[in-house]
Amino acid sequence: MLLRFRSPDGTFRLDVKPTDQFSSLQTKILDNLPKNVDPSSVTLSNKPSGGEVRRIDDLQGVTIETPGLRHGDILFLNYTQLASLSNGHAKADALISSSNRLNGVPVAASDPANVVLVPAQAHNGENVNPWESVKQSALDDELDKEDGKITRPFDQKMCRHGPKGMCDYCQPLEPYDAKYLEEKKVKHLSFHSYLRQINSATNKPELKSSYIPPLSEPYYRVKKNCPAGHPLWPDGICSKCQPSAITLKPQSFRMVDHVEFATPDLINSLLDFWRRSGSQRIGFLYGRYARYNEVPLGVKAVVEAIYEPPQVDESDGVTLLDWDNEAAVEQVARQCGLERVGVIFTDLIDAGTGDGKVICKRHIDSYFLSSLEIAFAARLQAQHQKPTKWSDTGAFGSNFVTCVLSGDEEGAIAVSAFQASNSAVEMIRAEIVEPSADPSVMLVQNEDEPDASHSRTRYIPEVFYRRINEYAASVQENAKPSFPVEYLLVTLTHGFPSQPKPLFTETRNGFPFANREIVGESQDVQSLAKKLGLSSKRRDQDTELAVLSDFHLLCFLHGMGVLSQDEENQLCRAAVSHDLADGLQALSTSGWATLVAILQESGERPPKRPHLSNSPSRGQEAQSSGDATSDPLAKRVKQISLR
C-alpha cells in the first residue's frame, strides 16, 4: 500500500507492506529528508498539530497495520536539524557511542568507518521564520496593540436605546471603513488600517489555526533554486520560477500618511540657496516617525533637520557626488534620536514678474513626479525597507518619503510629498521599467537589447494597466512601450505645526550649511569660533549653550574629532533636550575645554585687505609712479623682470 509523509521540507510517498515495521521505514524516510537531520529526533503524528506524536525509535516491533493505517493515509513528520560540524571539535572519539546511527541503523562503537560524528551541542530549535526574528519599531509595536476602531457618539435622531446600549448607528467603525474615509476625504488607507483589513481575512483566531503572515512583497524576478530541477536561468525556465504577468493599479494604501516639517525655517534655508544661486538643490530629511491622529492608525514623518550632501547644482537639475562623511552624519543623527526619513529637492523657475512668483510646471495636465524622479525615489525606498512581523520576508515597503519644492497653479512656492508604490520599487529593482524623456510616462524595457549578455540575464514579464475609457468602462491596456506614471505614485499630505517646537532651535541664523561653498558659505574653524562667540581674550558660556542646538554644528564638531564618544553623546543630549544642567555638563568636559583652546588660539579670520583702487592714497602713489593699475593682471605680471 501507499503512505504519504509530510515534513517541513516537503511531501513524499513510500510503498510499504502492512506487515512492515516502522523501524524498517526509518532508512527510507531519512533518504527523503535533509542530510543534517538528527535521526533520533524524527517523530510521526496523525495530525499537523494537536495529534498523537511518537518517535520512530520508540516504535520498535510495531507494524504498520497495528495503528490502523490504510492505503493513501498521510503521516506528519517533525525533526531537529543539527548544526554543521566545525574544526573546533577536537575530541571526536568522545562522541562515538553505540547510540550513533547511520541512515537510521544503529552502529557499533567498534566500527569507526561507519560512525556519524554528532556535535556535542546540537541545535535544539527549529528554523526561525523571518517574521519571528525581525524587530519592529516601537511605534509599530504600539499601533499593533490597538484595534483602531473609530468611535461614534450617540445619535439623537436614530438611536432608540439607553446610555449603555449600542446600535448600528453608534457602534464603532473599522479603521478601513470606506464610507468614513470618503466623508473625511482620505484618499489612501494607512498602513496599519490596510493591515487590519487583510489580516481579518487571512488569520481568524476563532478557528485556532496557525499564523500566516498576511503581507507579501511583490516579486517580479525569476525565482532562484527552482524545485523543478531544470538548469538555472537564463539556461532554463518554467512556470514555477518565472514571474507572472503584472497588472498595475493605483495602490490603495500608503506607508506614511503625512509629512510634518518642525519649522518653516527648514524650507526657507533650502530656498535661500536657490534665491542666491538660481540653481536647484537637494537634501536628505532627518527626523522621526510619530502617530498621526487625523487618519485612523496613521503615521507621520516629523522632519527636524535637512542635510545637503555633496552635489553639482544646475538650473535644471542636480548631480549627486560621493558622500564621504555619510556614516558620520548618520551617527550624529542616531545620537540625537533621529533617522533618515526622506529626501527633498527643488524644481523652481522664476516667472520673471519681479514679485517672487515661479512657473507652475507640475499640475494635473502634466505630471506631479517625473519618471526619473520616481525611479530615484524607488531606489532610495529599496535601501530603507520597513521591518515588520506581518510579512513573510520580515520586511514590507518603506517609510522613506520624497518631497518636492515647486510652483503651484497660483505661482507660489509649495511643498508636495509622495512615495513610490511597492510595485514601482520592485519593477525598478527587477529592471523592468526605465525613465523616459517624457516625464509623464514610464518606459517598459525590451528583452532584445543591444547588449545581448545583459538581456539574457533579465526576464521581462507582460505588463498591463487598467484605465477608464471614453465609455466610462474599466479596460485593460498593454503597458508596452509606455504607461502613465500615476500608477507608480502615492500622494501624501504635508504641513507645519500650529505651535512649532523644533528639536533644534538654531535654524534661522544657525551654523553655515555643509557643501555650500559655491554661494560663499563654508564650514571652518573661524566660522565655528565666531558662532560660539569665542575670541582670544573672552569666552561667553551663555552664547555657547544657545548655539549648541544646531544639527549642522554637531556634524562639524563630530568631523573635527576633538571630542570623545561619551562627550559627543552628552553634547547631542544637551542639544535636543534644551536642559541647562545637560548643557553645563557638556561644556565642563575636558574635550570641550580642548576645543575652546583650539578655537581661541586660531581666532577669527582677519578682515580682507582693501583693493588698491579703493585706497585713495595708494591709488595716487600708483599714478605718480607711472604704474598702469587699470591694465589686466596678466599684462602687468609679464612686464616684471626676474633678473
Side-chain angles (χ1 to χ4, degrees), residues 17-55:
K17 296 180 180 179
T19 57
D20 291 343
Q21 296 184 2
F22 281 98
S23 58
S24 62
L25 296 181
Q26 190 170 14
T27 302
K28 300 179 181 179
I29 292 175
L30 291 175
D31 290 341
N32 293 274
L33 299 181
K35 300 300 181 182
N36 58 343
V37 170
D38 184 7
S40 60
S41 66
V42 179
T43 60
L44 293 173
S45 176
N46 59 343
K47 294 182 180 180
S49 60
E52 298 181 2
V53 180
R54 295 289 185 272
R55 295 173 63 250

Side-chain angles (χ1 to χ4, degrees), residues 512-529:
F513 282 32
N515 308 306
R516 280 197 178 186
E517 291 81 3
I518 192 174
V519 293
E521 292 186 15
S522 61
Q523 294 181 338
D524 50 23
V525 177
Q526 287 78 16
S527 59
L528 178 61

Side-chain angles (χ1 to χ4, degrees), residues 624-641:
S624 61
S625 61
D627 293 338
T629 57
S630 61
D631 293 340
L633 178 61
K635 182 181 293 185
R636 283 183 279 146
V637 172
K638 185 177 181 180
Q639 296 174 357
I640 298 176
S641 177

Side-chain angles (χ1 to χ4, degrees), residues 516-580:
R516 280 197 178 186
E517 291 81 3
I518 192 174
V519 293
E521 292 186 15
S522 61
Q523 294 181 338
D524 50 23
V525 177
Q526 287 78 16
S527 59
L528 178 61
K530 182 178 180 180
K531 188 62 184 177
L532 295 177
L534 299 176
S535 64
S536 58
K537 295 182 179 180
R538 63 183 178 88
R539 176 183 176 186
D540 189 357
Q541 198 173 44
D542 295 337
T543 304
E544 297 175 17
L545 290 173
V547 302
L548 278 181
S549 186
D550 191 326
F551 183 72
H552 302 277
L553 186 142
L554 296 176
C555 292
F556 182 75
L557 291 177
H558 177 82
M560 293 183 65
V562 178
L563 304 178
S564 64
Q565 184 68 36
D566 295 337
E567 293 169 345
E568 285 187 6
N569 292 334
Q570 293 180 0
L571 194 65
C572 293
R573 183 167 56 251
V576 299
S577 65
H578 310 149
D579 186 69
L580 181 60

Side-chain angles (χ1 to χ4, degrees), residues 175-176 181 187-191 193-194 197 252-254 257:
Y176 47 85
L181 297 177
K187 186 177 180 181
H188 299 278
L189 286 173
S190 65
F191 168 69
S193 297
Y194 173 73
Q197 184 181 26
S252 61
F253 65 95
R254 53 192 177 190
D257 303 281

Side-chain angles (χ1 to χ4, degrees), residues 302-370:
V302 182
V303 181
E304 299 286 355
I306 299 178
Y307 190 90
E308 302 167 6
Q311 55 193 281
V312 177
D313 305 309
E314 301 177 7
S315 60
D316 59 347
V318 175
T319 302
L320 290 176
L321 303 177
D322 293 336
W323 191 1
D324 297 332
N325 64 331
E326 180 179 3
V329 176
E330 294 287 338
Q331 180 179 351
V332 174
R334 287 193 299 269
Q335 291 173 342
C336 297
L338 306 178
E339 59 180 310
R340 196 188 304 187
V341 299
V343 64
I344 186 171
F345 56 88
T346 62
D347 184 17
L348 301 168
I349 299 178
D350 189 11
T353 57
D355 54 357
K357 292 187 176 181
V358 294
I359 297 176
C360 178
K361 297 172 54 180
R362 302 167 185 261
H363 48 82
I364 193 172
D365 295 326
S366 61
Y367 64 94
F368 292 102
L369 207 63
S370 67

